[in-house]
Amino acid sequence: RKEVEQDPGPFNVPEGATVAFNCTYSNSASQSFFWYRQDCRKEPKLLMSVYSSGNEDGRFTAQLNRASQYISLLIRDSKLSDSATYLCVGDQTGANNLFFGTGTRLTVIP
Amino acid sequence: DAGVIQSPRHEVTEMGQEVTLRCKPISGHDYLFWYRQTMMRGLELLIYFNNNVPIDDSGMPEDRFSAKMPNASFSTLKIQPSEPRDSAVYFCASSPVAKNIQYFGAGTRLSVL
């Protein structure tokens, strides 16, 4: 079983729509979670950290559900520029590295 | 800071040749990570260093792969001999502390013919 798993998509949504991604993690002791964004043929870049209380950054909201062991990313009012692959990231007890999901591909359609 | 710097950006080589990928982490970052990304397997951790010391190399696919970090500002990933299945994008990332935000270089796109 992978440390973090996410639906690969693709998600094709119209401009202005709200879209949500979920990601499950296997280690109940994991503490650090992030969402990264990766544009085509570019490197992954941090989108936002995920805090226990949930956090919001403009049109983006991240949530952590420890009981069900998943994190989510909500994008409101989708823009064409939001088209990218979104990577779910978590840590593992006893290791100092992070584990990256395989990504969810989003395409925002005009 | 210029960020994590990788070279070369693109590498095309023939099967059996030696390939060396280079990485300069962000100054002051104690952790350096090497990843490989393919469509089929996504982003895979190959090896990571803490204060120039290799900590976990369990992701290195086989003995053909080796990595070094001779000082805090430079690391190499070497493949010898290279094979077509090694074709992928190789990313280097650095982080100031454990389990925290990692900053990626632009990657090296490797094609082994």
Side-chain angles (χ1 to χ4, degrees), chain B residues 62-105:
Chain B
E62 48 198 273
D63 291 346
R64 297 185 297 106
F65 286 68
S66 63
K68 295 182 179 179
M69 192 165 186
N71 57 64
S73 60
F74 183 66
S75 177
T76 60
L77 177 68
K78 185 175 293 187
I79 308 172
Q80 166 63 19
S82 58
E83 297 182 1
R85 60 191 168 123
D86 301 330
S87 297
V89 181
Y90 290 81
F91 287 106
C92 174
S94 70
S95 178
V97 296
K99 300 187 180 185
N100 210 316
I101 299 167
Q102 294 182 14
Y103 299 85
F104 284 75

Side-chain angles (χ1 to χ4, degrees), chain A residues 53-110:
Chain A
S53 56
N55 48 301
E56 187 173 309
D57 182 3
R59 298 181 293 108
F60 299 84
T61 301
Q63 296 278 355
L64 169 61
N65 185 315
R66 289 200 178 275
S68 300
Q69 292 186 210
Y70 75 84
I71 66 172
S72 63
L73 177 68
L74 182 77
I75 305 175
R76 292 181 298 278
D77 189 22
S78 300
K79 310 292 185 189
L80 298 178
S81 57
D82 294 334
S83 298
T85 296
Y86 291 84
L87 305 172
C88 166
V89 187
D91 70 358
Q92 184 187 44
T93 303
N96 290 326
N97 55 299
L98 300 176
F99 292 93
F100 286 75
T102 52
T104 298
R105 185 170 178 181
L106 171 67
T107 301
V108 181
I109 304 166

Side-chain angles (χ1 to χ4, degrees), chain B residues 2-49:
Chain B
V4 177
I5 300 173
Q6 290 187 245
S7 64
R9 290 293 308 277
H10 302 275
E11 177 79 33
V12 180
T13 190
E14 293 186 346
M15 183 173 61
Q17 296 298 306
E18 177 180 294
V19 176
T20 300
L21 312 181
R22 297 173 175 80
C23 175
K24 175 179 168 52
I26 294 173
S27 177
H29 283 194
D30 290 339
Y31 288 84
L32 184 141
F33 305 83
W34 281 101
Y35 292 90
R36 177 173 68 177
Q37 187 174 42
T38 61
M39 288 291 291
M40 292 297 295
R41 301 174 67 90
L43 201 60
E44 300 175 281
L45 177 67
L46 300 177
I47 184 172
Y48 78 92
F49 296 82

Side-chain angles (χ1 to χ4, degrees), chain A residues 46-58:
Chain A
L46 177 71
L47 177 66
M48 57 196 306
S49 302
V50 184
Y51 304 124
S52 297
S53 56
N55 48 301
E56 187 173 309
D57 182 3

